[in-house]
Amino acid sequence: AAGVIQSPRHLIKEKRETATLKCYPIPRHDTVYWYQQGPGQDPQFLISFYEKMQSDKGSIPDRFSAQQFSDYHSELNMSSLELGDSALYFCASSLEGEVKAGPYEQYFGPGTRLTVT
Amino acid sequence: LAKTTQPISMDSYEGQEVNITCSHNNIATNDYITWYQQFPSQGPRFIIQGYKTKVTNEVASLFIPADRKSSTLSLPRVSLSDTAVYYCLVGGALSGGYNKLIFGAGTRLAVHP
């Protein structure tokens, strides 16, 4: 079965540079969530989109922005990168438009490991 | 979202049954209980979800007592590949992209040969 695709898998950037992470949800899934996981930490929610509209926002820095496109893929744009942005970034998708889909059942991608030097 | 408390770590041996209990004293009437598994450097994986009583799938069982103030994830006959962090999450069923996962400190399960 198709899974969530994230690209790139690894990314190395220098401080103050910009990075763009991409996420391709499972076909027919209508919701995308972005999470950040720092070294030795638990995943933290950043932002979500439902039917291409931003739905919820967590502790996402103002330097970060995201959007979901007409084909449902999503991009996380990160500017003025800082050393502390080094982390694994996960995208997850879910199908919330159907009753039979359980709440909180999300499917995660393999993640993008961002290293800021 | 209700606060959850679970053991920081657990150890087991191959072939044993492992039970991880999660406390959620402030669970709300419409809250669901969900468990995720995460291997190092991989995205969390949905294991099981329940509202009350017992739920079983091909991977695990979830036991929820009548008062719902706790729940127990049961992994039958664990193997080395079950070594991972297990997260218990509690939250109400929303819609429209509001079902964000709030991960607390999970339980690090180590399975030994």
Side-chain angles (χ1 to χ4, degrees), chain A residues 72-90:
Chain A
Y72 288 88
H73 94 272
S74 178
E75 294 184 4
L76 178 65
N77 299 295
M78 311 158 70
S79 62
S80 303
L81 287 169
E82 302 174 356
L83 295 179
D85 296 328
S86 294
L88 267 170
Y89 290 84
F90 294 107

Side-chain angles (χ1 to χ4, degrees), chain B:
Chain B
L1 296 171
K3 177 178 169 55
T4 60
T5 303
Q6 48 184 121
I8 295 295
S9 64
M10 293 182 69
D11 289 274
S12 184
Y13 293 90
E14 286 188 290
Q16 290 190 334
E17 178 184 72
V18 171
N19 296 307
I20 306 175
T21 297
C22 178
S23 297
H24 27 79
N25 292 317
N26 296 323
I27 190 167
T29 303
N30 62 342
D31 281 349
Y32 284 77
I33 301 159
T34 310
W35 285 81
Y36 276 80
Q37 173 193 56
Q38 186 178 28
F39 299 113
S41 298
Q42 294 187 27
R45 182 175 79 109
F46 172 86
I47 300 176
I48 199 166
Q49 182 175 88
Y51 182 76
K52 62 180 180 180
T53 61
K54 176 184 174 182
V55 180
T56 297
N57 61 24
E58 64 278 6
V59 177
S61 294
L62 178 60
F63 297 92
I64 305 170
D67 66 4
R68 305 203 323 128
K69 292 184 182 301
S70 68
S71 59
T72 299
L73 174 72
S74 181
L75 305 172
R77 296 179 298 281
V78 294
S79 64
L80 297 177
S81 62
D82 292 315
T83 294
V85 178
Y86 292 82
Y87 293 99
C88 165
L89 300 93
V90 172
L94 305 174
S95 61
Y98 286 93
N99 290 326
K100 58 180 177 285
L101 302 176
I102 304 297
F103 292 90
T107 298
R108 294 186 177 277
L109 172 66
V111 180
H112 305 281

Side-chain angles (χ1 to χ4, degrees), chain A residues 19-39:
Chain A
T20 297
L21 310 185
K22 297 184 178 181
C23 168
Y24 298 85
I26 292 173
R28 291 185 59 240
H29 277 195
D30 52 19
T31 310
V32 166
Y33 296 85
W34 285 96
Y35 296 87
Q36 176 193 56
Q37 186 170 26

